[in-house]
Amino acid sequence: MRRAAVVLALTLAGLLIAAPAQAFAHTRVQNPALHAVLDGLTLLVVTAPVWTALLWSGGNRWQLAALVAAVQVPVAIIGFVPIVDPLLHLALFVIALGITAASLRVVRVQARAVRARAVRARSEAAAPARS
């Protein structure tokens, strides 16, 4: 029973991970309900870094979210605009992944900087107490 539960959980996780990636290639989907679901998944993929920035702890998360949102606009365009040439679509998809990776990198660097400042402030506050 445990083995079946593990297999089911891994299968569901794989489908949830694969679904947003498939949302980028849904221009020929004829079913309106499925097309709307895939549009929603594409929006989730595009806005994921923005929500990550908003939910991250830190003092300037709205500025960080605005930066990430500005970077993600090209990804949204690539995700929603039907592109006829498959090579161009592949190239733009690789660029979109690069833009997404860069925006996530900015979020992580900002979070590390905030964390490092907090650690320095705590150590400086504790230093005079030890003397």
Side-chain angles (χ1 to χ4, degrees):
M1 186 65 159
R2 287 185 209 159
R3 194 173 292 165
V6 168
V7 169
L8 179 64
L10 289 174
T11 302
L12 287 174
L15 289 173
L16 288 173
I17 291 169
Q22 294 301 319
F24 277 97
H26 72 277
T27 57
R28 293 201 174 117
V29 174
Q30 299 297 322
N31 183 345
L34 181 59
H35 193 87
V37 167
L38 292 173
D39 279 344
L41 289 172
T42 302
L43 279 173
L44 287 175
V45 167
V46 170
T47 60
V50 177
W51 293 111
T52 301
L54 285 175
L55 295 174
W56 210 280
S57 62
N60 56 356
R61 57 184 162 183
W62 283 103
Q63 293 171 348
L64 186 58
L67 171 69
V68 173
V71 171
Q72 286 301 103
V73 168
V75 176
I77 292 169
I78 292 167
F80 282 110
V81 173
I83 300 169
V84 178
D85 184 15
L87 292 176
L88 177 62
H89 189 78
L90 179 63
L92 290 175
F93 184 72
V94 169
I95 291 169
L97 286 175
I99 290 170
T100 301
S103 64
L104 288 172
R105 176 86 173 137
V106 167
V107 170
R108 292 182 61 89
V109 167
Q110 288 286 335
R112 283 188 188 133
V114 167
R115 196 174 317 132
R117 281 191 296 253
V119 168
R120 273 195 305 266
R122 271 189 250 134
S123 66
E124 289 172 1
R130 284 187 237 155
S131 300

